[in-house]
Amino acid sequence: LGCLLGCPMLLSAFPASLRAAEESAPITISADSLEVNRKTRVAIYQGNVAANDRGRGLSILADRIAFFFDERMEELERATAVGNVRLSYGERRGAAERAEYFPREQRAVLHGHPKVWQDSDVVSGCRITLLLREDRSQVEACDGERVNAVLYPKRGASQPR
């Protein structure tokens, strides 16, 4: 109980060091093949790609992921995943045909009939934007379609009278 009350204050006392740890945590990637083009500042991983950004708590699985870097090829500017895209962040999971990830903004955009789950709850649409830092999502419908959500009551939640 003491840590529940004291730990958040301890963590808030060191925000700069936490950000530094987040930024210095490695991004790990495995795949069947890799092609790097330094002129275009792109690294393309293909075949059973698994990317894990531990500092931000995001994992992406896909058939192909292209990583786009800054001019010095030192900082990741964005990543584009295509084919059987699966991602997880915290307690949430997502699936889509294509996804874009912007690490500086901690934003992921899912395209192609995307779905996002948390526990048994699921939301789907045409495009889902995940604002990871803000713990917020935006779901947009396709033309002629609607956003859909299936939400289950939580156990122990009091029922309105």
Side-chain angles (χ1 to χ4, degrees):
L1 181 62
C3 189
L4 286 175
L5 299 174
C7 287
M9 288 188 289
L10 179 66
L11 292 175
S12 66
F14 301 101
S17 63
L18 290 175
R19 277 195 305 273
E22 176 183 285
E23 292 170 1
S24 66
I27 297 172
T28 58
I29 306 155
S30 64
D32 294 339
S33 68
L34 165 63
E35 178 183 340
V36 177
N37 185 330
R38 295 187 74 76
K39 288 183 182 181
T40 60
R41 303 182 326 261
V42 177
I44 299 172
Y45 292 81
Q46 295 194 81
N48 302 307
V49 185
N52 188 353
D53 187 342
R54 286 187 180 92
R56 292 176 178 87
L58 178 68
S59 295
I60 302 174
L61 304 173
D63 294 338
R64 177 183 187 271
I65 303 179
F67 293 90
F68 301 86
F69 293 91
D70 65 353
E71 290 181 12
R72 294 170 52 186
M73 294 276 305
E74 292 178 356
E75 185 177 338
L76 178 64
E77 292 182 343
R78 69 183 170 94
T80 302
V82 179
N84 299 306
V85 178
R86 302 288 181 262
L87 63 89
S88 64
Y89 61 103
E91 296 178 6
R92 295 181 184 96
R93 300 169 322 283
E97 293 172 13
R98 186 170 63 92
E100 296 172 286
Y101 175 50
F102 304 88
R104 256 188 256 135
E105 302 168 34
Q106 288 191 9
R107 177 173 58 101
V109 182
L110 285 63
H111 303 271
H113 303 96
K115 293 183 179 184
V116 174
W117 293 265
Q118 182 169 347
D119 300 321
S120 297
D121 299 343
V122 63
V123 65
S124 62
C126 189
R127 175 176 141 153
I128 300 176
T129 301
L130 306 169
L131 304 164
L132 306 174
R133 181 181 296 132
E134 300 170 28
D135 195 23
R136 192 166 62 95
S137 303
Q138 298 171 331
V139 183
E140 299 171 40
C142 294
D143 290 338
E145 295 183 19
R146 297 173 56 88
V147 169
N148 292 296
V150 178
L151 308 172
Y152 292 90
K154 304 299 177 219
R155 288 187 180 184
S158 61
Q159 299 293 326
R161 297 178 196 233

